[in-house]
Amino acid sequence: MSMAEEYSFLQNVPIFADLEKDELIKIEKLGVRKKYKRGNIVVLEQEMGAALFVIITGKVKIVRTDEDGREVILSIFGPGEFFGEMSLLDGLARSASVVALSKTELFMIHRRDFLKLLHEHPQVAISLLGELTLRLRKADGQIKSLSLKDAAGRVANVILMLADDVGVFRKGKVEIDELPLQQDMANMAGTSRETVSRMIHQFIREGHVLLEGNKLTINDYEGFRKQYL
Ligand code: CMP
């Protein structure tokens, strides 16, 4: 089989989307694949790090913790997404911890190899900037919500963030299969667990969402967004 016909898992990684297949296979050989179990810590906040990770399968959460061990989830990433680029690019400590949410397989590439790749393939650098811009837009949305919105708006924003991160979109509806614990959502929304519970029940009464066990469905994503953001 020629190199170009081989399959590379990097084909499914958006920042590498523009590269030829044989190029992807070369990149694959620069890094290593690593497996993690649910709950394993991949990256620890404040440690020095010099590698970038790409998710092959599974899901991770990006979290920051305080002195009391309380944590806030900043984002959840799934297959094809990357993390660890911040300390790689600015040389500072890891900005957050990264924890596996399920059985997860990652591709790890060292700083030197990744920087070389950016030099050789400027289109990867441009895609990377595009993704970082998107993350900044989300963080801006988060700041706006936390500073200016009431509890309903903040909880709605958390639900919409989760929809963007892990939701399955179909015909205007979004299904979030495993809603995080209400305490986790409370930390993300800067409110109490009781308020999250109260707001979810308000959204159910208003017909915006449906809750079946751990699965939350947003009935009309655009309508919900318009009403609360
Ligand atoms: P790094 O600082 O090397 O390690 C932690 C990683 O978490 C970081 O790189 C980013 O990849 C990711 N990260 C940190 N903050 C955010 C955020 N607000 N949104 C999404 N990802 C983040």
Side-chain angles (χ1 to χ4, degrees), residues 67-185:
E67 314 72 53
D68 303 328
R70 291 185 307 166
E71 69 165 44
V72 58
I73 301 174
L74 301 177
S75 196
I76 296 177
F77 289 141
E81 294 185 290
F82 65 86
F83 58 87
E85 79 294 341
M86 290 174 62
S87 52
L88 186 151
L89 293 170
D90 67 12
L92 300 177
R94 294 293 190 191
S95 61
S97 295
V98 183
V99 181
L101 281 176
S102 61
K103 239 175 88 178
T104 297
E105 190 175 10
L106 302 176
F107 173 70
M108 184 180 97
I109 182 165
H110 282 289
R111 179 169 194 272
R112 189 176 13 96
D113 295 321
F114 188 67
L115 292 181
K116 186 156 168 271
L117 196 140
L118 295 182
H119 279 290
E120 284 168 7
H121 302 286
Q123 70 270 42
V124 175
I126 292 169
S127 307
L128 180 80
L129 289 173
E131 174 58 27
L132 294 184
T133 303
L134 194 68
R135 291 183 188 176
L136 185 55
R137 280 182 190 273
K138 279 193 183 174
D140 289 352
Q142 185 72 346
I143 292 171
K144 174 181 170 184
S145 173
L146 290 172
S147 337
L148 305 177
K149 297 287 178 180
D150 58 11
R154 296 204 303 273
V155 175
N157 186 59
V158 167
I159 292 173
L160 290 162
M161 267 177 64
L162 291 167
D164 291 337
D165 284 353
V166 295
V168 180
F169 284 67
R170 205 171 336 115
K171 295 186 190 148
K173 292 186 187 233
V174 190
E175 289 181 359
I176 304 169
D177 271 333
E178 288 168 57
L179 202 65
L181 297 175
Q182 287 188 352
Q183 185 59 59
D184 288 338
M185 294 177 66

